[in-house]
Amino acid sequence: MNILVTGGAGYIGTHTMVKLLENNHTVVCVDDLSNSKYIAVERVEKITGKKVKFYQNDIRDREALRKVFSENKIDAVINFAGFKAVGESCAKPIEYYDNNIYGMLVLLEVMREFGVKNIVFSSSATVYGNPHKVPITEDFPLSTSNPYGSTKLFIEYILKDLYASDKSFNIAILRYFNPIGAHPSGLIGEDPNGIPNNLCPYITKVCVGKLPHVNVFGNDYPTHDGTGVRDYIHVEDLAEGHVLAVNKLADNPGLIIVNLGTGTGYSVLDMIKAFSKALGKEVPYKIGAHRPGDIPTCYADPTYAENLLGFKAKKSLEDMCKDALNWQLKNPDGYVE
Ligand code: NAD
Ligand code: UD1
């Protein structure tokens, strides 16, 4: 299939483009490079030995998007384009609603105009809010506590309404848990701006001496060691999930909503220990206060993904830490153009 990957130059997009190309799909990428660099796309080409047709466009630019659809026969779209920082979304809600929701609306309108009816959307486990129990199944109640999460939830509603109005659409809403790690080559990986907000990129910066220690956000949660528990999934496994989802769309499944996680929860201290092992020395940390909005525990029930898509995360925590560290060591300043 010829797949349009919007936001393909970013962290999850690059890894997904690699898997798509390795599975003999062709890829057209639209990215405005607002949170990425073109060199990441070149690295995808280097890993796969295949070409990516690239357009530097904002998906909100309707005319530019129409040009992409008229120049390429697109079979399916995977939409990664959006802003993703929770803290920033609280400071800039209008920008987040505009980019994430309006961007999706323009994309859907242009898809409909060109008769392209297959789409995969990057949702997040954040739409489960603070779950009443774990593991989390797809039928759990939904809620959000910040503008970023609200954009994900509203887009899910938009996609459900669209499907109700037009059953010829095939829509895969993928709710990611916590993607970490990098391609084992060390050529592509996560490249956050400034000081990372998320745990794993923060730990790898400590590992390479760019930050002094990890701040552990609380050790009095009701978990096995008091620190927050999450479902970390290797970004390569997540990327594989997108290939399975896009292939599934070809069977006309209608609207599907699927968790992409491993089903295993690790605490912050478990993660620090695993990175210490990968590094070969102790990663320093200090226990601090809770981060506002954090929940104690979040991990997926991955059964539906396995039954519906044949998806099963294969990579271990050891692989995740090793690959994340390898990327950070080979690219201490991220992508440098
Ligand atoms: P990322 O920021 O690395 O990638 C997003 C890409 O989209 C970037 O390359 C950016 O330049 C591009 N982009 C942003 N707005 C655009 C626009 N209007 N037009 C064109 N391109 C645009 O983020 P990521 O970690 O790869 O996440 C991809 C998607 O998955 C996002 O929608 C994110 O919300 C979602 N998600 C990510 C995580 C995570 O932990 N990384 C978890 C759950 C969901
Ligand atoms: C965060 C976002 C969530 C988003 C997800 C993926 C918040 C409140 N939630 O989730 O909406 O979908 O990222 O982008 O920002 N931790 C530390 N020290 C750190 C960083 C994190 O102890 O420096 C802890 C956190 O308290 C948490 C765990 O590590 O228990 C994981 O944190 P993080 O990587 O930010 O992911 P989430 O909290 O799951």
Side-chain angles (χ1 to χ4, degrees), residues 153-205:
L153 192 51
F154 291 158
I155 292 171
E156 288 203 7
Y157 291 147
I158 289 167
L159 291 169
K160 285 176 195 167
D161 288 340
L162 173 65
Y163 179 66
S165 74
D166 182 350
K167 296 276 189 307
S168 66
F169 268 92
N170 291 296
I171 301 171
I173 294 175
L174 303 182
R175 294 183 180 147
Y176 313 156
F177 283 69
N178 290 57
I180 65 167
H183 192 270
S185 64
L187 284 169
I188 54 173
E190 190 170 9
D191 184 17
N193 289 321
I195 296 177
N197 296 310
N198 295 117
L199 179 66
C200 288
Y202 199 105
I203 297 180
T204 55
K205 292 248 181 231

Side-chain angles (χ1 to χ4, degrees), residues 7 9-12 31-36 57-60 80-82 84 99 122-124 148 152 176 179:
Y11 174 46
I12 304 172
D31 199 302
D32 64 357
L33 303 180
S34 56
N35 196 37
S36 53
N57 290 136
D58 187 322
I59 58 166
R60 290 168 295 183
F80 294 110
K84 64 165 182 175
N99 197 33
S122 307
S123 189
S124 164
Y148 165 72
K152 293 292 171 196
Y176 313 156

Side-chain angles (χ1 to χ4, degrees), residues 17-275:
M17 293 201 300
V18 167
K19 290 274 182 221
L20 289 168
L21 292 166
E22 286 174 352
N23 281 275
N24 295 320
H25 294 296
T26 48
V27 171
V28 176
C29 174
V30 171
D31 199 302
D32 64 357
L33 303 180
S34 56
N35 196 37
S36 53
K37 298 199 175 88
Y38 180 66
I39 189 177
V41 178
E42 292 176 329
R43 301 264 182 101
V44 169
E45 293 178 330
K46 188 168 176 190
I47 291 169
T48 59
K50 294 184 178 173
K51 279 286 180 212
V52 171
K53 192 164 178 190
F54 182 77
Y55 292 83
Q56 185 176 347
N57 290 136
D58 187 322
I59 58 166
R60 290 168 295 183
D61 182 342
R62 190 184 308 263
E63 281 317 306
L65 210 50
R66 293 183 77 248
K67 185 162 179 281
V68 173
F69 278 82
S70 58
E71 288 180 1
N72 301 278
K73 200 200 154 310
I74 303 295
D75 298 303
V77 178
I78 304 180
N79 182 20
F80 294 110
F83 294 152
K84 64 165 182 175
V86 173
E88 188 183 59
S89 80
C90 298
K92 297 180 175 176
I94 292 175
E95 286 79 355
Y96 268 67
Y97 286 117
D98 183 54
N99 197 33
N100 294 6
I101 298 182
Y102 180 60
M104 183 53 134
L105 289 174
V106 173
L107 178 60
L108 290 171
E109 280 170 1
V110 176
M111 283 176 64
R112 187 172 56 184
E113 181 186 340
F114 284 83
V116 179
K117 300 278 182 93
N118 292 345
I119 180 157
V120 177
F121 170 61
S122 307
S123 189
S124 164
T126 194
V127 299
Y128 294 116
N130 189 357
H132 57 287
K133 60 177 183 174
V134 282
I136 299 170
T137 50
E138 288 82 355
D139 56 355
F140 270 32
L142 306 177
S143 69
T144 66
S145 56
N146 58 70
Y148 165 72
S150 299
T151 68
K152 293 292 171 196
L153 192 51
F154 291 158
I155 292 171
E156 288 203 7
Y157 291 147
I158 289 167
L159 291 169
K160 285 176 195 167
D161 288 340
L162 173 65
Y163 179 66
S165 74
D166 182 350
K167 296 276 189 307
S168 66
F169 268 92
N170 291 296
I171 301 171
I173 294 175
L174 303 182
R175 294 183 180 147
Y176 313 156
F177 283 69
N178 290 57
I180 65 167
H183 192 270
S185 64
L187 284 169
I188 54 173
E190 190 170 9
D191 184 17
N193 289 321
I195 296 177
N197 296 310
N198 295 117
L199 179 66
C200 288
Y202 199 105
I203 297 180
T204 55
K205 292 248 181 231
V206 174
C207 290
V208 298
K210 295 220 165 236
L211 290 167
H213 59 264
V214 182
N215 298 300
V216 177
F217 297 152
N219 67 348
D220 56 356
Y221 284 112
T223 63
H224 63 272
D225 60 17
T227 66
V229 167
R230 297 290 184 274
D231 186 338
Y232 298 95
I233 175 168
H234 197 296
V235 66
E236 284 217 285
D237 280 330
L238 194 76
E240 189 68 47
H242 288 75
V243 177
L244 294 169
V246 98
N247 288 342
K248 183 80 192 173
L249 293 185
D251 303 340
N252 293 317
L255 174 73
I256 56 175
I257 301 177
V258 187
N259 286 340
L260 289 183
T262 66
T264 303
Y266 290 106
S267 72
V268 178
L269 293 181
D270 292 334
M271 297 307 288
I272 292 175
K273 204 164 144 197
F275 273 100

